[in-house]
Amino acid sequence: MKAFTYERARSPAEAASAASNHPRARFIAGGTNLLDLMKLEIETPAHLIDINHLGLDTIEQTRDGGLRIGALVRNTDLAADERVRRDYAVLSRALLSGASGQLRNRATTAGNLLQRTRCPYFYDTNQPCNKRRPGSGCAALEGFSRHNAIVGASDDCIATHPSDMAVAMRVLDATVDTVQPDGNARSIPIAEFHRLPGKTPHIEHVLAPGELITAVTLPRPVGGRHVYRKVRDRASYAFALVSVAAIVQDDGRGRIAVGGIAHKPWRVESAESELPRGAKAATEALLQGARTTRYNEFKRPLVERTIAAVLIDGESQA
């Protein structure tokens, strides 16, 4: 691990300002992803800004009946919150599908959104990776790509975003609230928060340098049956091959977002109109333009089958 300096921020605005003054600074809270990357020297921040004492660890009701989730709310606490379990069950279920209990006890809401890909070539510093080292190439394109993307990818990167929570946040139309180094706040729709790789896969989100996530806001609860289904290689502590977050209505309509297939939680709102016709029609609309490799071509039928299972789960809750 490379040497670094450290400071403890006293306010969100101070943290953002400090980060803007250190070009190679990183915020640290739970550290469940960042510390691993630092040990491998994939991340080599020169300065760490501890944000654990900023008071961003509460869940509050909003005026319009939604929830404002502080950036530092731990995954365990968020999944267990009575309001989340009652009104946003898809989120609670997604969180409990991720990582282990020990990691959920440390991992934060903001950190979960910002975690980096688990593509094996990103973690192997002996292999070229445009996300880790821009311009070096993408070993996954011709390599073992079982866990990699089939939609939204590019010739420079086929990595996937690993978060379960983010998939549920996408189906719930969450908003990411931030403070910028100049002290101004802004709100970013979750649909716009993560970027597709294009030619710059190392730029993974729309945050400006030094910009700090302060909360994630959920709108008023959406009625219907909330389902989260995760397909993985083993029963626990594994990232999704395919995951589906869904809110299903009595008339067969609903919302779906898919994880494990793209650089960001994948939701195509126009495809949701196909849900009453069944999983096949919805999948065809959802995966338009998909590009698979010989190792991950199984994901296309797996998406369809997972959506079909989700629709059946939704019916069984009625």
Side-chain angles (χ1 to χ4, degrees):
M1 183 183 290
K2 300 287 188 180
F4 57 87
T5 54
Y6 169 92
E7 71 174 287
R8 179 177 290 180
R10 294 172 295 184
S11 71
E14 180 182 286
S17 177
S20 69
N21 292 329
H22 293 83
R24 291 175 53 211
R26 291 289 187 274
F27 300 119
I28 186 165
T32 57
N33 188 207
L34 177 60
L35 291 178
D36 284 343
L37 294 174
M38 289 175 65
K39 291 173 184 177
L40 294 170
E41 296 188 4
I42 294 170
E43 289 272 8
T44 56
H47 187 65
L48 290 185
I49 302 167
D50 188 340
I51 59 172
N52 279 296
H53 305 275
L54 302 185
L56 303 175
D57 57 355
T58 60
I59 304 172
E60 302 170 340
Q61 201 83 21
T62 63
R63 290 183 179 180
D64 64 357
L67 284 182
R68 188 173 191 272
I69 303 161
L72 298 178
V73 173
R74 307 294 167 170
N75 287 179
T76 295
D77 296 331
L78 182 57
D81 186 88
E82 181 180 355
R83 294 160 295 184
V84 174
R85 293 174 62 192
R86 181 188 64 231
D87 298 327
Y88 306 96
V90 66
L91 175 57
S92 181
R93 291 166 181 163
L95 285 162
L96 293 174
S97 295
S100 64
Q102 294 94 328
L103 286 173
R104 292 196 298 269
N105 288 342
R106 289 297 303 162
T108 63
T109 299
N112 193 304
L113 289 177
L114 293 172
Q115 65 181 301
R116 306 197 71 185
T117 184
R118 262 61 179 189
C119 176
Y121 298 102
F122 174 72
Y123 276 80
D124 186 349
T125 56
N126 293 311
Q127 298 290 336
C129 172
N130 289 317
K131 183 180 287 293
R132 176 171 27 85
R133 185 180 175 189
S136 63
C138 175
L141 288 172
E142 300 297 331
F144 184 69
S145 50
R146 176 176 172 79
H147 284 82
N148 291 83
I150 62 172
V151 285
S154 71
D155 291 335
D156 290 278
C157 183
I158 58 171
T160 56
H161 195 272
S163 173
D164 292 286
M165 185 196 78
V167 183
M169 292 289 195
R170 179 67 182 91
V171 87
L172 290 167
D173 285 330
T175 300
V176 181
D177 303 322
T178 73
V179 62
Q180 300 176 86
D182 60 6
N184 290 323
R186 70 165 172 157
S187 295
I188 308 165
I190 190 75
E192 301 171 10
F193 182 77
H194 296 104
R195 291 167 49 112
L196 293 177
K199 294 186 177 298
T200 55
H202 60 291
I203 304 175
E204 300 172 334
H205 48 69
V206 299
L207 294 177
E211 190 169 8
L212 173 70
I213 296 175
T214 54
V216 175
T217 300
L218 301 179
R220 183 189 300 273
V222 177
R225 296 176 295 280
H226 289 219
V227 183
Y228 187 77
R229 180 172 283 253
K230 180 177 181 178
V231 182
R232 44 192 164 178
D233 281 330
R234 59 181 186 268
S236 65
Y237 199 30
F239 297 101
L241 293 170
V242 166
S243 63
V244 174
I247 302 174
V248 184
Q249 306 298 334
D250 291 338
D251 61 1
R253 298 185 182 278
R255 304 177 181 183
I256 53 171
V258 183
I261 64 169
H263 213 71
K264 60 190 290 187
W266 193 254
R267 183 179 175 198
V268 179
E269 280 86 340
S270 60
E272 295 170 354
S273 63
E274 301 293 334
L275 280 174
R277 297 179 53 204
K280 183 176 179 61
T283 301
E284 288 177 355
L286 188 72
L287 299 185
Q288 283 188 8
R291 293 192 304 173
T292 61
T293 70
R294 64 190 179 104
Y295 293 109
N296 66 16
E297 59 187 359
F298 71 92
K299 286 193 177 187
R300 187 191 293 268
L302 185 58
V303 170
E304 180 182 338
R305 292 168 187 166
T306 307
I307 292 174
V310 161
L311 295 177
I312 292 172
D313 285 348
E315 291 174 0
S316 67
Q317 291 181 26

